[in-house]
Amino acid sequence: MKLTYEDKVEMYRLWKEDHYSSIRLATLFKCDRTSVTYIVKLIDIHGISVVQKKKNREYSAEFKEEAIRRVLIQHESIKQVSLSLAIPSKGTLSLWIK
């Protein structure tokens, strides 16, 4: 299930204000726990605007190459690179690498 902007905002609010666990949020929003923790960390780092409604973002070849290089050459984790570059989906960088 694809999460809406409103879902992500509510998920973040429940995490921060009501102290819901990632398991409880995953059940509530019908997604996996890693998606919950990724979204929360993404918002913590870049602010709520990072999950705003946007058309599909297009990334330049140079941007993708740099992200892939950081994982394959510099041995940074996929999650760390994705979060630092504000890539909105935790699986996007994995797809680029494949």
Side-chain angles (χ1 to χ4, degrees):
M1 175 179 156
K2 185 168 178 138
L3 296 169
T4 65
Y5 168 73
E6 290 79 11
D7 291 337
K8 293 172 185 175
V9 170
E10 180 63 7
M11 180 184 291
Y12 188 74
R13 186 193 70 74
L14 290 170
W15 175 276
K16 289 295 186 180
E17 295 175 11
D18 295 343
H19 308 289
Y20 276 38
S21 69
S22 58
I23 295 170
R24 187 172 180 192
L25 288 169
T27 302
L28 182 65
F29 290 95
K30 297 177 177 67
C31 63
D32 61 283
R33 198 179 113 230
T34 59
S35 293
V36 171
T37 57
Y38 184 84
I39 290 166
V40 168
K41 286 181 183 180
L42 189 66
I43 294 170
D44 276 344
I45 294 167
H46 299 284
I48 200 72
S49 64
V50 77
V51 295
Q52 285 182 341
K53 300 174 194 173
K54 298 176 186 172
K55 293 183 179 180
N56 287 339
R57 181 175 170 191
E58 298 214 7
Y59 299 93
S60 69
E62 294 81 16
F63 182 90
K64 291 178 183 180
E65 288 170 4
E66 175 62 18
I68 292 167
R69 184 186 61 71
R70 286 177 60 184
V71 173
L72 298 180
I73 306 298
Q74 296 179 349
H75 305 291
E76 294 180 61
S77 74
I78 291 173
K79 183 177 179 180
Q80 179 183 1
V81 174
S82 294
L83 286 169
S84 72
L85 296 175
I87 298 172
S89 173
K90 67 182 180 71
T92 301
L93 181 51
S94 294
L95 292 173
W96 294 348
I97 291 170
K98 287 179 184 176

